[in-house]
Amino acid sequence: MKDKPNISTVKRVITLLKGGWTGKILWIDLTKEKSTIWKYDPSMALHYIGGRGFAIRILWDHLKPGVDPLHPDNLLIFAVGPLTGFPLPSSGKLVVASKSPLTGGYGDGNIGTKASVMMRKAGYDAIVVEGKADEPVYVYVEEEDVTIHSARDLWGADVREVHRELTDEYGKDSGILTIGKAGENLVRYAIVMSEEDRAGGRPGMAAVMGSKNLKALVIRGEKPLPAVDEKTIKELGTKAYKDIKGAPMYPHWMEQGTMMIYEWCQENSVLPTYNFREGFFEEADKVTGKVMAEQYKKYQKGCPNCNMPCGNVAEARESYKGTKAEMDYENVAMLSSNIGVSNMDDVIKLIREADDLGIDTISVGSAIAFAIEAYKKGYLKDDDLDGIKPDWGDASSALDIMHLIVERKKFGEVLAAGVRYASLRLGGDTVKFAMHVKGLPITAYDAHVAPGMALAFGTSSIGAHHKEAWIIAWEAQYGFEKVDKTKVEKVIELQRIRGGWFETFVTCRLPWIEVGLSLDYYLTFMEAATGIKYTAEDLNRIADRIYTLVRGFWIREYGYWMRSMDMPPMRWFEEPLTQGPKKGAHLSLDAYNQMLDTYYELRGWDRNGIPRRSTFDNLGLSKEARELEAMGVELTP
Amino acid sequence: MMIEVVVLGFFQDYVGKKKIELEIEKPIAIRDILKRISPELAEYIENHPENSIILVNGVSIYNMKGFDTKVRDGDKVSIMPVVGGG
Ligand code: SF4
């Protein structure tokens, strides 16, 4: 094992980390068919907490700069945090991270799964996979026993089949993470799947799994979770669960989950429509949360330890009758309004298919929309799409394109590398309507009217994603038209809490953001779990450290940085809305640049988005700054 | 004089429907509209202003006169919680 800590550090693990963390990381090398238990330096726990904090720390320290993301040397990291798995609200989450084959920078995602709880019970804070197996395999981890099994029979199988097979073999309560055909075929936005419908790791984490010939990871364990004060955890948990149930929005949330925002987005003209050309969809009424709940919903399921389950499973009624899929706002919007589809049955089928293939619903929705637009504008010919004639609202050709991508046939080969790459290949105006930031497709909010949300997409640490600064609801209240410092500060505040706190604890942010569970709880949870009194300032500082190190990682891997890489696509600036009540609205380039300057300034980064030397130093990252300088990156003092 | 009120998200639980047409005699403050459509919702919003978005013709009342913002004939009022979507 690289950097194996010496005996004195191991002792410190035992004395410093009294609870919360297990202090151990399982490191699996598929090339050498060997695994090692790494008792990591406890300062990593104290300064990075867990989850994405661990992921970026491990990538920085152990990944050779410049490695091709699909090379065996890339590291695939599954990480939980000190709160994961405890009987606390929505604590059944884990982070999956790697150098992204889609963006070439830092990539991660979180996923709600029994595998998170099982990883803790198996005694680990993270599992790292490196190398590549000679043939398709899956790995079974049962505490200290790690075995590698042939997955020849599972290769090519869809996500649900694999889940069923492995559940039969290892039992219902096992933690199972798997990839579908998209991951096997190295589609650069293949996503890791669990329990049939749960997905995580949009920036191609499943392609990294596929490149390692790793079809699945199964985890089991029975160790007690390491809490300093178990009694308090139980008491706090009970109280917090009660608060959630008593929240005024709880019944509505239980009825519709994230789908409740569909009509909200339409009302505010931020519903992605026709490849983010519009923010208003004339047929939105057919796809709302209410329609889903009243006419299509069959049951709902959730992640472990969650009493506000948001996995609303809907069933198609006419076309594709009987097909079931989990309806999350993001999936639904990207595979309905964004490609012009308004028939709920079609949407259900598209989501089911994407989940079975293990391809990110958001990115594939973006790729299909891009293909439709490119085809209609003459950039793509019939033959490029193997005879498919895509059009807005045509679900059947959308399904065909999805398969073309997963099979990597014809132009599907190019689309499998993402819309950024596809637009560079096609050239012309396609660059303006390839809807991504840093290569990661934008998630389901059109930002023609929303400069704050545009900044959130522009500066999200993995490329365009809403999981960090989901500012749009606050922005509607504060005023979409405002572009002042307060709004930029809000973006950073949300990045700290959503992208920092929750992504390192690792628990679900939704109890806080959706039903208003007080953030104060989390400080007390942390104290009861770890025995350490973290303040909000401490956690914000850790989040800032993570953001700056992640930015450092992008710069290290790209070799340079420019502010244009923190910009959303030109479509939102140059092509005003033509539909709906906000007709004529568009973003202003000057205003965006002003906000970006303020953002950099508040973060202590220079005008090009490169952290200043002093910022690295203040966050305890001097060594990392020196490494960047040694590579020739010029840091402003 | 007519105004259109659109209510979204769990606020609908208070009002029972999405769209309401309100007959008014003279320009009326948002505060009074809330009381007219549902005293319970008015109370909730008063106690949780941070969790509500009220727009008049698409513009947040926080950038006008807050709850004293007057609504006139033909205006559209949207009342919604600060919902989440993930
Ligand atoms: S709220 Fe939804 S995503 Fe969060 S833990 Fe519960 S089921 Fe999972």
Side-chain angles (χ1 to χ4, degrees):
Chain A
M1 189 56 37
K2 305 160 200 174
D3 268 352
K4 214 172 190 171
N6 59 33
I7 296 300
S8 66
T9 14
V10 174
K11 269 198 192 135
R12 271 185 29 228
V13 174
I14 297 158
T15 51
L16 255 174
L17 305 183
K18 294 190 225 90
W21 298 274
T22 66
K24 288 184 217 146
I25 290 174
L26 176 66
W27 199 294
I28 301 168
D29 187 327
L30 289 175
T31 307
K32 296 189 183 133
E33 298 185 1
K34 218 179 93 184
S35 67
T36 322
I37 294 170
W38 170 29
K39 293 182 178 157
Y40 60 81
D41 186 323
S43 66
M44 181 161 85
L46 302 181
H47 300 313
Y48 292 88
I49 312 277
R52 75 160 16 162
F54 276 25
I56 185 58
R57 193 63 256 177
I58 292 169
L59 284 173
W60 185 281
D61 290 341
H62 298 272
L63 186 74
K64 229 182 341 148
V67 164
D68 177 337
L70 297 177
H71 187 276
D73 284 350
N74 194 8
L75 301 175
L76 178 67
I77 300 161
F78 301 94
V80 289
L83 297 184
T84 310
F86 281 121
L88 298 172
S90 312
S91 70
K93 287 250 173 183
L94 69 76
V95 167
V96 50
S98 195
K99 179 176 172 182
S100 160
L102 181 61
T103 67
Y106 174 76
D108 74 10
N110 72 48
I111 176 167
T113 164
K114 286 177 200 145
S116 64
V117 185
M118 278 301 173
M119 191 191 297
R120 301 273 282 160
K121 289 189 172 172
Y124 305 111
D125 294 327
I127 295 178
V128 182
V129 184
E130 75 168 315
K132 177 182 179 178
D134 288 340
E135 55 153 7
V137 296
Y138 72 88
V139 172
Y140 177 62
V141 175
E142 188 171 339
E143 302 183 356
E144 283 75 25
D145 290 333
V146 181
T147 44
I148 300 176
H149 304 255
S150 170
R152 273 207 176 288
D153 296 347
L154 297 174
W155 206 251
D158 75 35
V159 164
R160 277 185 294 174
E161 255 173 82
V162 181
H163 185 79
R164 276 195 295 265
E165 293 266 338
L166 293 173
T167 306
D168 284 351
E169 179 84 21
Y170 295 101
K172 254 190 162 152
D173 53 345
S174 328
I176 301 168
L177 297 159
T178 183
I179 64 171
K181 236 181 175 174
E184 294 172 9
N185 292 350
L186 310 181
V187 173
R188 286 169 188 258
Y189 38 98
I191 197 161
V192 178
M193 300 293 301
S194 190
E195 290 152 37
E196 305 195 355
D197 317 273
R198 294 270 129 172
R202 287 189 59 219
M205 307 304 81
V208 177
M209 264 177 96
S211 74
K212 298 186 175 312
N213 266 333
L214 179 62
K215 181 74 179 174
L217 176 64
V218 185
I219 315 171
R220 286 188 66 93
E222 286 179 10
K223 297 189 183 189
L225 295 186
V228 165
D229 184 351
E230 216 168 304
K231 195 170 147 261
T232 307
I233 291 227
K234 276 210 185 106
E235 284 168 9
L236 287 171
T238 311
K239 199 162 163 277
Y241 281 123
K242 228 174 116 198
D243 282 5
I244 291 173
K245 274 207 157 155
M249 55 293 264
Y250 185 77
H252 199 76
W253 169 262
M254 289 300 279
E255 181 191 274
Q256 299 185 14
T258 56
M259 274 294 287
M260 69 187 185
I261 201 184
Y262 200 95
E263 70 177 352
W264 187 98
C265 286
Q266 168 82 345
E267 187 65 25
N268 285 291
S269 292
V270 297
L271 183 68
T273 306
Y274 306 127
N275 196 26
F276 293 91
R277 178 66 192 82
E278 306 291 342
F280 178 91
F281 183 42
E282 61 279 18
E283 295 182 80
D285 276 0
K286 299 187 195 158
V287 205
T288 62
K290 214 173 181 57
V291 173
M292 185 276 299
E294 286 172 359
Q295 299 174 35
Y296 295 87
K297 181 169 160 178
K298 282 287 154 194
Y299 58 92
Q300 71 201 92
K301 59 190 226 183
C303 313
N305 301 335
C306 179
N307 72 335
M308 45 180 283
C310 68
N312 287 302
V313 178
E315 185 177 287
R317 301 180 338 159
E318 281 158 29
S319 47
Y320 312 112
K321 193 171 166 46
T323 304
K324 291 196 193 80
E326 210 178 289
M327 307 296 270
D328 178 60
Y329 167 70
E330 296 289 333
N331 310 341
V332 172
M334 292 305 287
L335 291 167
S336 65
S337 51
N338 201 46
I339 57 170
V341 168
S342 63
N343 177 321
M344 195 72 97
D345 285 351
D346 288 342
V347 181
I348 293 171
K349 174 67 179 173
L350 282 158
I351 294 174
R352 179 71 270 155
E353 205 72 9
D355 283 351
D356 282 350
L357 294 165
I359 192 169
D360 172 31
T361 43
I362 297 168
S363 299
V364 81
S366 190
I368 294 168
F370 175 86
I372 300 173
E373 186 161 356
Y375 177 78
K376 288 177 79 76
K377 290 186 169 162
Y379 289 101
L380 288 174
K381 306 279 175 267
D382 284 355
D383 183 56
D384 295 325
L385 295 176
D386 209 20
I388 304 167
K389 297 183 193 315
D391 202 354
W392 303 119
D394 177 8
S396 143
S397 63
L399 274 170
D400 291 342
I401 292 180
M402 195 187 292
H403 284 280
L404 202 72
I405 292 170
V406 173
E407 299 301 336
R408 296 179 58 163
K409 266 169 67 184
K410 298 275 181 164
F411 198 71
E413 170 74 20
V414 177
L415 287 171
V419 293
R420 174 172 69 178
Y421 180 67
S423 72
L424 293 175
R425 279 285 292 269
L426 293 177
D429 259 5
T430 63
V431 178
K432 288 189 189 165
F433 62 78
M435 301 306 287
H436 71 90
V437 178
K438 302 178 183 67
L440 188 69
I442 292 167
T443 60
Y445 300 95
D446 185 88
H448 274 94
V449 304
M453 196 63 214
L455 183 69
F457 283 138
T459 60
S460 149
S461 62
I462 57 169
H465 201 290
H466 62 282
K467 76 173 168 190
E468 299 175 3
W470 187 78
I471 194 180
I472 201 150
W474 178 90
E475 194 178 13
Q477 182 190 56
Y478 184 66
F480 279 123
E481 64 285 1
K482 287 198 196 159
V483 284
D484 55 11
K485 190 172 172 194
T486 309
K487 197 175 265 189
V488 181
E489 283 169 343
K490 192 72 185 181
V491 167
I492 293 181
E493 180 194 326
L494 289 169
Q495 287 179 337
R496 284 176 175 150
I497 298 171
R498 294 169 59 107
W501 298 30
F502 286 100
E503 294 293 318
T504 57
F505 287 159
V506 169
T507 65
C508 182
R509 62 183 177 263
L510 300 189
W512 165 63
I513 196 74
E514 305 290 352
V515 300
L517 185 70
S518 163
L519 269 186
D520 294 342
Y521 266 120
Y522 291 88
L523 303 177
T524 54
F525 293 164
M526 278 296 277
E527 191 183 348
T530 67
I532 300 170
K533 251 192 160 96
Y534 281 101
T535 62
E537 290 71 43
D538 295 335
L539 294 173
N540 286 343
R541 193 174 144 74
I542 288 169
D544 288 349
R545 178 177 301 127
I546 292 168
Y547 268 77
T548 290
L549 189 57
V550 167
R551 177 50 61 105
F553 183 82
W554 281 89
I555 298 167
R556 186 181 95 170
E557 300 306 311
Y558 272 51
Y560 65 99
W561 202 256
M562 298 182 296
R563 60 189 284 140
S564 60
M565 296 197 287
D566 294 331
M567 298 281 287
M570 290 318 285
R571 159 155 281 175
W572 286 341
F573 297 97
E574 293 180 355
E575 298 173 33
L577 297 177
T578 68
Q579 312 271 318
K582 303 246 172 99
K583 205 167 147 177
H586 62 91
L587 289 178
S588 140
L589 199 53
D590 283 349
Y592 186 86
N593 271 316
Q594 244 174 45
M595 290 175 81
L596 190 58
D597 281 337
T598 311
Y599 178 88
Y600 288 158
E601 209 180 293
L602 291 168
R603 278 233 171 267
W605 300 357
D606 73 14
R607 282 185 51 87
N608 288 312
I610 300 174
R612 292 173 181 277
R613 179 65 213 238
S614 51
T615 305
F616 278 114
D617 291 342
N618 290 341
L619 293 168
L621 298 169
S622 302
K623 181 175 80 64
E624 291 72 10
R626 283 197 298 276
E627 285 170 34
L628 285 174
E629 284 173 335
M631 283 175 54
V633 178
E634 267 184 52
L635 301 181
T636 321
Chain B
M1 293 196 282
M2 284 297 246
I3 55 166
E4 183 191 350
V5 183
V6 171
V7 184
L8 295 185
F10 78 93
F11 287 180
Q12 278 173 14
D13 297 350
Y14 290 97
V15 212
K17 54 184 167 201
K18 184 179 165 185
K19 273 199 182 123
I20 304 162
E21 304 261 296
L22 272 191
E23 175 81 50
I24 54 170
E25 275 163 22
K26 51 180 189 340
I28 165 176
I30 287 290
R31 184 186 314 285
D32 298 320
I33 292 185
L34 288 173
K35 279 189 203 130
R36 257 180 78 177
I37 59 172
S38 158
E40 292 80 20
L41 178 61
E43 193 190 325
Y44 175 83
I45 290 179
E46 197 180 322
N47 294 332
H48 303 85
E50 75 293 347
N51 193 30
S52 50
I53 300 168
I54 302 176
L55 312 173
V56 177
N57 302 326
V59 180
S60 175
I61 59 161
Y62 295 95
N63 296 325
M64 295 187 276
K65 291 190 176 145
F67 292 100
D68 296 325
T69 306
K70 286 261 189 337
V71 181
R72 285 157 225 284
D73 187 29
D75 281 350
K76 178 180 170 188
V77 181
S78 317
I79 305 172
M80 55 192 104
V82 178
V83 292

